[in-house]
Short mmCIF file of all heavy atoms in Angstrom, two decimals:
data_model
loop_
_atom_site.label_atom_id
_atom_site.label_comp_id
_atom_site.label_asym_id
_atom_site.label_seq_id
_atom_site.Cartn_x
_atom_site.Cartn_y
_atom_site.Cartn_z
N HIS X 31 80.97 385.46 74.36
CA HIS X 31 81.20 385.44 72.92
C HIS X 31 80.16 386.30 72.23
O HIS X 31 78.98 386.00 72.23
CB HIS X 31 81.13 383.99 72.40
CG HIS X 31 81.42 383.86 70.94
ND1 HIS X 31 80.84 382.91 70.13
CD2 HIS X 31 82.25 384.57 70.13
CE1 HIS X 31 81.30 383.03 68.91
NE2 HIS X 31 82.16 384.04 68.88
N TYR X 94 86.96 384.85 60.03
CA TYR X 94 86.83 383.55 59.38
C TYR X 94 87.01 383.67 57.87
O TYR X 94 86.31 384.45 57.22
CB TYR X 94 85.42 382.99 59.63
CG TYR X 94 85.06 382.87 61.10
CD1 TYR X 94 84.69 383.99 61.84
CD2 TYR X 94 85.09 381.64 61.74
CE1 TYR X 94 84.35 383.89 63.19
CE2 TYR X 94 84.75 381.52 63.09
CZ TYR X 94 84.38 382.65 63.80
OH TYR X 94 84.04 382.54 65.13
N CYS X 123 96.08 380.93 46.48
CA CYS X 123 95.92 380.44 45.11
C CYS X 123 97.01 380.99 44.21
O CYS X 123 97.14 380.58 43.06
CB CYS X 123 94.53 380.76 44.56
SG CYS X 123 94.30 382.51 44.20
N CYS X 151 98.60 374.74 53.97
CA CYS X 151 98.34 376.14 54.36
C CYS X 151 99.36 376.58 55.42
O CYS X 151 99.87 377.70 55.39
CB CYS X 151 96.92 376.28 54.91
SG CYS X 151 95.64 376.04 53.69
N GLY X 167 93.10 371.79 61.31
CA GLY X 167 92.04 371.11 60.57
C GLY X 167 90.99 372.14 60.17
O GLY X 167 91.08 373.32 60.55
N SER X 185 63.21 364.87 45.78
CA SER X 185 61.90 364.47 45.25
C SER X 185 61.17 365.67 44.63
O SER X 185 60.53 365.55 43.59
CB SER X 185 61.05 363.79 46.31
OG SER X 185 60.97 364.61 47.44
N LYS X 239 70.86 390.51 33.05
CA LYS X 239 71.45 391.64 32.32
C LYS X 239 71.82 391.24 30.90
O LYS X 239 71.71 392.01 29.97
CB LYS X 239 72.70 392.11 33.08
CG LYS X 239 72.73 393.62 33.31
CD LYS X 239 74.12 394.08 33.62
CE LYS X 239 74.36 394.33 35.08
NZ LYS X 239 75.75 394.64 35.39
N GLU X 281 83.60 370.36 50.10
CA GLU X 281 82.47 369.48 50.47
C GLU X 281 82.35 368.31 49.49
O GLU X 281 82.08 367.17 49.89
CB GLU X 281 81.18 370.30 50.53
CG GLU X 281 81.17 371.25 51.73
CD GLU X 281 80.20 372.42 51.62
OE1 GLU X 281 79.63 372.64 50.52
OE2 GLU X 281 80.04 373.14 52.60
N VAL X 292 85.54 375.50 37.99
CA VAL X 292 85.64 376.43 36.86
C VAL X 292 86.46 377.66 37.28
O VAL X 292 85.94 378.76 37.48
CB VAL X 292 84.24 376.83 36.35
CG1 VAL X 292 84.36 377.58 35.02
CG2 VAL X 292 83.36 375.61 36.18
N SER X 304 95.21 365.57 44.28
CA SER X 304 94.59 364.29 44.65
C SER X 304 93.81 363.70 43.48
O SER X 304 93.44 362.54 43.50
CB SER X 304 93.64 364.48 45.83
OG SER X 304 92.43 365.08 45.39
N GLN X 328 88.23 356.06 37.98
CA GLN X 328 88.24 355.56 39.36
C GLN X 328 89.14 356.47 40.20
O GLN X 328 90.26 356.76 39.79
CB GLN X 328 88.80 354.13 39.40
CG GLN X 328 87.92 353.09 38.71
CD GLN X 328 86.57 352.96 39.40
OE1 GLN X 328 86.51 352.89 40.61
NE2 GLN X 328 85.50 352.95 38.61
N ARG X 334 93.43 362.66 54.43
CA ARG X 334 92.72 363.60 55.31
C ARG X 334 93.47 364.92 55.43
O ARG X 334 94.02 365.23 56.49
CB ARG X 334 92.54 362.99 56.69
CG ARG X 334 91.55 361.87 56.68
CD ARG X 334 91.28 361.44 58.09
NE ARG X 334 90.14 360.57 58.13
CZ ARG X 334 89.53 360.22 59.25
NH1 ARG X 334 89.95 360.68 60.40
NH2 ARG X 334 88.50 359.42 59.22
N ILE X 348 93.93 376.34 71.53
CA ILE X 348 95.03 377.25 71.18
C ILE X 348 94.68 378.68 71.60
O ILE X 348 95.49 379.40 72.19
CB ILE X 348 95.34 377.19 69.66
CG1 ILE X 348 95.79 375.78 69.27
CG2 ILE X 348 96.38 378.22 69.27
CD1 ILE X 348 95.88 375.53 67.77
#
Side-chain angles (χ1 to χ4, degrees):
H31 183 212
Y94 304 77
C123 71
C151 292
S185 54
K239 230 199 258 174
E281 289 159 351
V292 191
S304 77
Q328 293 297 315
R334 289 188 168 192
I348 298 170

